[in-house]
Amino acid sequence: METGTNGETDRAGWVGLPGGLLTLRRLLLVIWMTLFTVVTGLVLGLTAGPGWAALGAFWLVVLAWGWVLLGRNWRSWRYAERADDLLISRGVLWREQTVVPYGRMQLVEVTSGPLERRFGLASVQLHTAAAATDARIPGLVPAEAERLRDRLTELGEARSAGL
């Protein structure tokens, strides 16, 4: 049961995150690691000598390693809407699966920070009575985030009315 890419649903009903979140995170990684490489090279070059400036390349190794890890992490995120609850699965080394019953949801909100808006992304935050079970689905296309918010709110109201 593999997660679909670009928001596609696989046979088990799991939906993967669209690629925009991976692009955003990798861009931030490249920007920060390039900055660290330049600053480390300049500082070591000016204070310890030109030979030591080569140690700034350490951040390029971190960049390559982070590039791979971000891809694996992005592929691990998925969610599935079931009849009575929403499943959210994530994690590479430590898999975490959150089950949020529709009747327990108190608030569903869609958020989008400046960088997320620039990349056409939004996150869905689910709040329940127990703070430990709050769940989040990052990196969705805004239309899908709003659809999911509306559907979860509708299902939550229907399920809580029966309590």
Side-chain angles (χ1 to χ4, degrees):
M1 290 184 253
E2 289 297 315
T3 301
T5 57
N6 299 325
E8 297 172 0
T9 305
D10 69 5
R11 291 176 296 185
W14 289 103
V15 178
L17 299 181
L21 180 65
L22 179 61
T23 302
L24 171 61
R25 288 181 176 175
R26 282 183 169 168
L27 177 63
L28 289 172
L29 176 70
V30 168
I31 290 170
W32 281 107
M33 292 306 107
T34 302
L35 180 65
F36 288 168
T37 300
V38 170
V39 169
T40 302
L42 282 174
V43 169
L44 288 176
L46 293 173
T47 59
W52 289 97
L55 289 177
F58 164 77
W59 297 111
L60 299 178
V61 174
V62 173
L63 170 65
W65 181 58
W67 189 275
V68 172
L69 290 181
L70 285 173
R72 291 185 65 196
N73 179 269
W74 170 77
R75 282 188 299 278
S76 75
W77 276 88
R78 57 191 183 166
Y79 65 96
E81 298 174 62
R82 299 193 312 180
D84 295 321
D85 50 32
L86 176 73
L87 298 177
I88 302 171
S89 180
R90 64 195 167 280
V92 177
L93 292 176
W94 288 272
R95 301 283 303 160
E96 186 175 332
Q97 191 167 40
T98 304
V99 180
V100 183
Y102 296 133
R104 299 289 181 177
M105 286 189 277
Q106 294 182 330
L107 175 67
V108 181
E109 57 184 352
V110 174
T111 60
S112 186
L115 281 175
E116 288 177 310
R117 282 193 306 275
R118 174 69 177 94
F119 281 81
L121 301 172
S123 297
V124 174
Q125 180 76 39
L126 307 165
H127 299 278
T128 62
T133 60
D134 286 357
R136 182 175 173 266
I137 304 172
L140 297 174
V141 175
E144 171 62 10
E146 290 170 9
R147 183 207 64 82
L148 191 58
R149 178 200 59 208
D150 294 343
R151 175 160 166 70
L152 294 176
T153 301
E154 178 183 312
L155 289 168
E157 288 172 354
R159 296 298 193 281
S160 66
L163 292 177

